[in-house]
């Protein structure tokens, strides 16, 4: 399929973070863009404000009539059910219907493609890398799975020769890509509803890694069983972060590459996991020839990603942080960062589990990671694309937690419960619609303080 011949692009599931980045991209290059999503959100509101028409009812009569032409591309998200009437309408009439990952593969096949893979860290690493390349003057477009604060968008740049993409393991999507340089940040078990076993996930990552034939252009952490250049913090590796200090809330550190020492770098995202994400991005940028000066400037100016350890309130009396974490490993990373920055302070975590299947598969891990906080409020499970599973609920998770300071809270009561709490550090965590509640929580906490 030749994208140059495509005039219209219709999205089914346009409000997803990956889908909306593609929508922005096609709008930026002059295509007619519109779409459907199940529910309104902050993302769909931003797209509508940019001039993209979106409706929220599965109804073929709501599709603009000028999209009923041959040169229309229809892009679907894997979360859309096969019974979706709009999807079936386009399939039955032999339109160009493609998954998001397939379209990314088409866009990137004629570019120099950086691909960031891993069950955790994809969005942060690709954001840092995209920012470094853009700030260095590269002709880059970066498709990001989060809203980058520097750009207030999940799309960085509109370049035609270089792309940065998140290589998503969900539904084996990353196997559609043809990367020139890649990294793998982690290979933890996840998406077991798709893969079945952790071995199947690892096999899929190995297949992705095999796409990089020059192993000096594949970057992995030291604990991963993959061939490539190793990255580490405070241990021997091809790319190593060391001499790490904290100064005025920022990390200050050195990086040793295979050929040189880069000293006195500054980076503002807290947590050792984010230091590793930055190191991965630097390793890929250095391999592509980006200068130390450009890397130094970009790391220092990077503001982070919305809902990735995102400060909502930060003063002497109260800290409120919002984070997208939805896997035990990610929750542990949030906890590590909070304890490092705010030792001795009471930390309240509000967690909304995401998916019945993920909660069931990692119930013990969730219980352990959440129990590390001083106090925990649990919301009910956000189902997303799933139907309820008998016995899998937040009461089950609560019962497995060893922390005695815990309770189930409804969304209706959440703000009042937070306001009544005496914690000086508050963290909202989860990938569901808890993110939609952040503005009101922030507003009410500011009013109280």
């Amino acid at each position: 399929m030749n994208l140059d011949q495509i005039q219209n692009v219709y999205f089914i599931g346009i409000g997803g973070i990956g889908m909306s980045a593609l929508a922005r991209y096609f709008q930026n290059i002059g295509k007619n863009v519109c779409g459907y999503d199940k529910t309104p959100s902050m993302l769909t509101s931003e797209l509508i404000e940019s001039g993209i028409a979106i409706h929220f009812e599965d109804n073929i009569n709501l599709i603009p009539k000028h999209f009923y032409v041959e040169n229309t591309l229809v892009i679907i998200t894997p979360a859309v059910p096969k019974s979706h009437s709009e999807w079936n309408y386009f399939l039955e009439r032999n339109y160009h219907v493609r998954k998001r990952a397939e379209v990314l593969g088409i866009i990137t096949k004629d570019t120099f493609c950086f691909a960031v893979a891993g069950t955790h860290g994809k969005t942060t690493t690709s954001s840092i890398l995209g920012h470094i390349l853009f700030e260095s003057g590269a002709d880059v477009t970066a498709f990001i799975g989060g809203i980058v604060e520097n750009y207030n968008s999940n799309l960085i740049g509109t370049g035609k020769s270089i792309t940065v993409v998140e290589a998503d393991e969900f539904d084996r999507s990353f196997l559609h890509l043809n990367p020139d340089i890649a990294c793998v940040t982690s290979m933890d078990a996840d998406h077991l509803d798709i893969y079945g076993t952790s071995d199947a996930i690892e096999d899929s990552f190995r297949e992705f890694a095999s796409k990089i034939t020059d192993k000096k252009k594949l970057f992995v952490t030291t604990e991963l069983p993959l061939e490539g250049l190793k990255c580490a913090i405070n241990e021997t590796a091809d790319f190593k972060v060391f001499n790490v200090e904290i100064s005025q809330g920022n990390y200050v550190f050195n990086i040793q590459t295979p050929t040189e020492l880069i000293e006195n770098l500054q980076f503002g995202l807290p947590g050792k996991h984010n230091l590793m994400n930055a190191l991965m991005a630097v390793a890929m940028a250095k391999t592509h020839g980006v200068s130390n000066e450009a890397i130094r400037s970009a790391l220092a100016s990077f503001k982070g990603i919305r809902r990735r350890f995102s400060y909502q309130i930060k003063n002497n009396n109260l800290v409120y942080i919002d984070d997208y974490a939805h896997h035990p490993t990610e929750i542990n990373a949030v906890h590590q960062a909070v304890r490092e920055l705010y030792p001795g302070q009471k930390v309240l975590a509000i967690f909304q589990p995401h998916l019945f299947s993920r909660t069931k598969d990692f119930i013990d891990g969730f219980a352990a990671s959440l129990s590390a906080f001083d106090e925990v409020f649990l919301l009910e499970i956000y189902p997303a694309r799933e139907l309820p599973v008998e016995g899998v609920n937040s009461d089950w998770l609560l019962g497995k937690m060893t922390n005695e300071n815990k309770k189930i809270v409804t969304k209706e009561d959440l703000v009042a419960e937070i306001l009544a709490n005496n914690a000086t550090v508050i963290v909202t965590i989860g990938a569901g619609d808890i993110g939609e509640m952040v503005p009101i929580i922030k507003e009410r906490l500011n009013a109280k303080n």
Side-chain angles (χ1 to χ4, degrees), residues 21-46:
L22 272 181
R24 293 181 202 266
Y25 168 78
F26 280 114
Q27 184 187 40
N28 285 351
I29 64 171
K31 309 296 185 185
N32 298 319
V33 177
C34 73
Y36 155 89
D37 206 88
K38 188 176 180 181
T39 52
S41 66
M42 285 188 286
L43 269 177
T44 57
S45 295
E46 289 170 3

Side-chain angles (χ1 to χ4, degrees), residues 208-224:
F208 168 77
S210 70
K211 289 174 170 286
I212 304 294
T213 54
D214 181 354
K215 296 308 176 187
K216 291 185 177 179
K217 293 185 177 179
L218 176 65
F219 302 89
V220 300
T221 61
T222 50
E223 65 266 21
L224 295 184

Side-chain angles (χ1 to χ4, degrees), residues 325-337:
H326 53 285
H327 185 282
T329 302
E330 296 167 349
I331 296 172
N332 286 336
V334 171
H335 179 262
Q336 180 269 319

Side-chain angles (χ1 to χ4, degrees), residues 232-250:
I233 299 173
N234 291 328
E235 64 176 278
T236 302
D238 299 292
F239 284 82
K240 178 178 76 170
V241 163
F242 66 106
N243 283 358
V244 182
E245 298 176 356
I246 295 177
S247 174
Q248 297 180 326
N250 293 325

Side-chain angles (χ1 to χ4, degrees), residues 308-370:
R308 300 302 197 282
F309 211 90
S310 177
Y311 280 102
Q312 304 299 311
I313 299 172
K314 188 179 184 182
N315 58 47
N316 292 333
N317 301 317
L318 180 68
V319 171
Y320 171 31
I321 297 160
D322 179 46
D323 197 280
Y324 187 74
H326 53 285
H327 185 282
T329 302
E330 296 167 349
I331 296 172
N332 286 336
V334 171
H335 179 262
Q336 180 269 319
V338 167
R339 292 297 187 204
E340 182 179 52
L341 290 167
Y342 305 104
Q345 296 199 42
K346 179 182 175 180
V347 182
L348 167 66
I350 300 109
F351 178 57
Q352 181 187 46
H354 184 259
L355 299 179
F356 297 103
S357 60
R358 183 180 281 123
T359 305
K360 179 175 179 286
D361 290 336
F362 304 109
I363 187 74
D364 292 327
F366 279 124
S369 62
L370 290 167

Side-chain angles (χ1 to χ4, degrees), residues 403-432:
N403 185 340
E404 293 183 3
N405 300 313
K406 59 186 178 180
K407 62 180 173 181
I408 303 285
V409 177
T410 66
K411 282 193 279 191
E412 291 74 21
D413 294 337
L414 180 59
V415 174
E417 290 280 0
I418 292 172
L419 292 173
N421 200 275
N422 65 352
T424 52
V425 180
I426 297 169
V427 189
T428 44
I429 308 171

Side-chain angles (χ1 to χ4, degrees), residues 351 353 363 366-367 370 378 393-401:
F351 178 57
I363 187 74
F366 279 124
L370 290 167
L378 272 184
N393 51 48
S394 289
D395 278 320
W396 182 37
L397 174 55
L398 192 80
K400 283 186 166 284
M401 289 169 53

